[in-house]
Amino acid sequence: MGLYRPCLILSVPQKKARDWSREAFDQTQHLLELNPEFYTVWNYRRNIMLNGIFPQNTSEENNNILAEELSMTMAALRERPKVYWIWNHRRWCLENIPDGPMVDGEPSLQWRKATWQRELAVVEKMLDADARNFLAWNYRRYVLASMPEQRPITTELVYTTRKISASFSNFSAWHQRSKVYSLLWNTGEFDPVNSREEGICMLYL
């Protein structure tokens, strides 16, 4: 608390004054390391990037800054894996990753594809550490739906089978599996009757 209060006193006037400087940006990091649940500071940090840092940089420099943000939030999640505002900031970072260098006059999507693929691997590591972390499961659904290159929906059945086999009472994995089946039924890829029979068979594995 001794360090937290001085940082807060500095940050609030800077925010009101719309200080988009690098100094203000660094100050928000100090404050968030002390209290990652302070959502107004996360908002301020994003505004500094949008209004002060990004306009002065190249796309590659902005991509590097966002990669640093993802590293910073990953460190925070190791300590506080269920703080919503950290997950929320990661979403914002992912959604602002530049497409990538131009190739033959077209955006390559190189940076976006690589970042989203890494993010899926990050979520899998988080679920390996805590297979019942509902925020991580929700975030996984978000990542899968947002990836620039969509994976076959059926791959998620393989993943949930593995998680359920490891812990049959993992209701988060069962919930994820039910959502996958609903998608497959809606698209006509799976037959509801056969799928339900397969689900019943799993009970006896």
Side-chain angles (χ1 to χ4, degrees), residues 63-98:
N63 182 60
N64 292 338
I65 288 172
L66 289 167
E68 291 171 1
E69 288 294 290
L70 290 170
S71 296
M72 185 262 285
T73 54
M74 189 70 256
L77 285 170
R78 289 192 186 99
E79 299 294 325
R80 310 281 283 276
K82 296 186 179 180
V83 174
Y84 168 79
W85 301 111
I86 305 174
W87 291 105
N88 183 63
H89 189 68
R90 286 188 77 83
R91 288 191 185 206
W92 182 88
C93 291
L94 289 165
E95 291 166 8
N96 283 274
I97 292 289

Side-chain angles (χ1 to χ4, degrees), residues 8-20 24 40 44 47-48:
L8 181 59
I9 290 172
L10 285 171
S11 181
V12 171
Q14 288 172 314
K15 180 176 180 292
K16 288 182 177 179
R18 298 192 175 187
D19 180 353
W20 312 132
T40 57
Y44 180 33
N47 279 325
I48 293 172

